[in-house]
Amino acid sequence: MAILSLVLLLLAHIITTSFSLQIHFYSKSCPRAEIIVKQVVQKHFQQDPSVPSGLLRLQFHDCFVRGCDGSILLDSDGHNVAEKNAPPNLTLRTFDVIDDIKAELEKECRGVVSCADILALATRDGVKLSGGAAYALPTGRRDGVVSNVADVHLPSPMISVAEAVAAFLSINLDIVDLTTLLGAHSIGLCHCGFFMDRLYNHKGTGLPDPSIDPTLLTTLLKKCPPHAVTLQNITQDSSVFMNQATTTPFLLDGSSFYHGVLNGMAVLQLDQELAFTDLTNKLAARFVNSPKLFRKQFSKSMVKLGNVGVLTGEEGEVRLNCRRVNSATSSNSSTKV
Ligand code: HEM
Ligand SMILES: *[C@@H]1O[C@H](CO)[C@@H](O)[C@H](O)[C@H]1NC(C)=O
Ligand SMILES: *[C@@H]1O[C@H](CO)[C@@H](O)[C@H](O)[C@H]1NC(C)=O
């Protein structure tokens, strides 16, 4: 009798704790899943070297809002406005890459690999293709069925480091993760509208931000002449490379990015503020001197980001189409998880 209850206790323990992410979650259910993801990302990367930066940003936005549950991938429908259509739908891109991967995976093993995992894996492969480290990524995420524009409270690029730290703490990422993950801004593009204030009206002075390197300021003034832009029409705005301190704007390279930060060459206000904040400036200096340290910490912080608020086990579902929930009626109900 005592043995039986012990067995039951153990069983209950296993049932309540076994649903966590694990490395190679699909090794039995879809053995080629990770290979297929990698092949499709590689194919897109060969046509467009900016694909990894698009994926990285998509992954951040997915995880920051409602956890890494693929909710950023859902389209709006008749009754529900989805996260991706938040007033600045924030110029997110590479949704087509995810669709392409999903189509290939559905051919291979129908209804097995979640969209949340596809995005996390594709991002991981994008990091590697951009020169970052290859990291083992735990999988087993399930897809959420809710995506609501009202849930989108992403940090603005004009906030202070302290505010960004607070925002990251709310998803259990610390100041090291923040400083490291902002290193993702060593690749990709930035629309002028996200830093126009720095060029023309820094903190209401009507003058440029004095912390911008003078040569860079001249360049940016040319690329972003005075013009009106709102978050609603920012997708039509012109853009510059996010990393202005390098000749390789698609190489995930902490050294050039943090060197730029420490020398007035960051494009976004928040990135520039890393130089003026204790701790973040010290870490930035360490990353300049040790590319290896940056690569290692970046992988660690990406794995941590990928764990935020995940659904596992029987929670949520595995979507058949990343843009739609399986029963199209539940997408506007915020009570279901
Ligand atoms: C407080 C935190 C953050 C803020 C305020 C922020 C803000 C921004 C802004 C304003 C852009 C420009 C978007 C555009 O013009 O299309 C951008 C781009 C980007 N962000 Fe962030 N970001 C943050 C954190 C992150 C994190 C954690 C990651 C990755 C792990 C990331 C990865 C990227 C990438 C790769 C791009 C380039 C996107 C592209 O090429 O389309 N960001 N970010
Ligand atoms: C972003 O919003 C604009 C305007 O609301 C829309 O035309 C565009 O398709 C949206 N992009 C995505 C990826 O949803
Ligand atoms: C964006 O909107 C602003 C304000 O409504 C307008 O003045 C500007 O011309 C628009 N820009 C583009 C590129 O549509």
Side-chain angles (χ1 to χ4, degrees), residues 228-230 233 236:
V229 58
T230 65
N233 65 17
Q236 287 111 272

Side-chain angles (χ1 to χ4, degrees), residues 118-145:
I118 291 173
L119 176 53
L121 286 168
T123 303
R124 185 269 304 263
D125 295 334
V127 166
K128 171 80 195 311
L129 286 167
S130 310
Y135 52 93
L137 181 77
T139 42
R141 294 167 190 77
R142 305 265 298 176
D143 296 323
V145 297

Side-chain angles (χ1 to χ4, degrees), residues 58 72 74-76 82-95 231-233 235-236 323:
L58 210 46
I72 194 71
L74 288 170
D75 282 344
S76 297
E83 286 168 28
K84 67 164 61 151
N85 292 112
N89 62 16
L90 293 158
T91 58
L92 292 168
R93 50 197 193 84
T94 59
F95 292 103
L231 288 177
Q232 275 70 27
N233 65 17
T235 43
Q236 287 111 272
R323 292 175 181 268

Side-chain angles (χ1 to χ4, degrees), residues 60-236:
F60 170 53
H61 285 217
D62 186 31
C63 298
F64 195 83
V65 183
R66 301 191 76 92
C68 316
D69 67 345
S71 54
I72 194 71
L73 304 171
L74 288 170
D75 282 344
S76 297
D77 60 30
H79 3 251
N80 183 55
V81 182
E83 286 168 28
K84 67 164 61 151
N85 292 112
N89 62 16
L90 293 158
T91 58
L92 292 168
R93 50 197 193 84
T94 59
F95 292 103
D96 57 319
V97 179
I98 302 299
D99 290 339
D100 205 358
I101 298 169
K102 183 62 172 170
E104 289 303 314
L105 285 174
E106 289 304 289
K107 277 189 237 158
E108 175 88 3
C109 21
R110 189 165 189 275
V112 173
V113 185
S114 70
C115 297
D117 274 344
I118 291 173
L119 176 53
L121 286 168
T123 303
R124 185 269 304 263
D125 295 334
V127 166
K128 171 80 195 311
L129 286 167
S130 310
Y135 52 93
L137 181 77
T139 42
R141 294 167 190 77
R142 305 265 298 176
D143 296 323
V145 297
V146 175
S147 179
N148 196 320
V149 68
D151 292 332
V152 181
H153 304 290
L154 284 156
S156 138
M158 305 303 288
I159 61 175
S160 67
V161 171
E163 288 167 310
V165 167
F168 269 53
L169 281 179
S170 75
I171 57 165
N172 291 321
L173 298 188
D174 60 26
I175 190 168
V176 173
D177 299 312
L178 172 71
T179 310
T180 308
L181 290 178
L182 285 176
H185 292 163
S186 70
I187 56 175
L189 304 163
C190 187
H191 290 78
C192 295
F194 287 114
F195 57 91
M196 286 293 280
D197 281 6
R198 297 192 70 210
L199 304 184
Y200 298 103
N201 191 16
H202 175 63
K203 299 193 168 154
T205 56
L207 295 168
D209 183 341
S211 67
I212 305 178
D213 169 85
T215 311
L216 177 63
L217 179 62
T218 310
T219 306
L220 292 180
L221 288 171
K222 252 187 240 142
K223 292 199 167 139
C224 307
H227 63 283
V229 58
T230 65
L231 288 177
Q232 275 70 27
N233 65 17
I234 201 160
T235 43
Q236 287 111 272

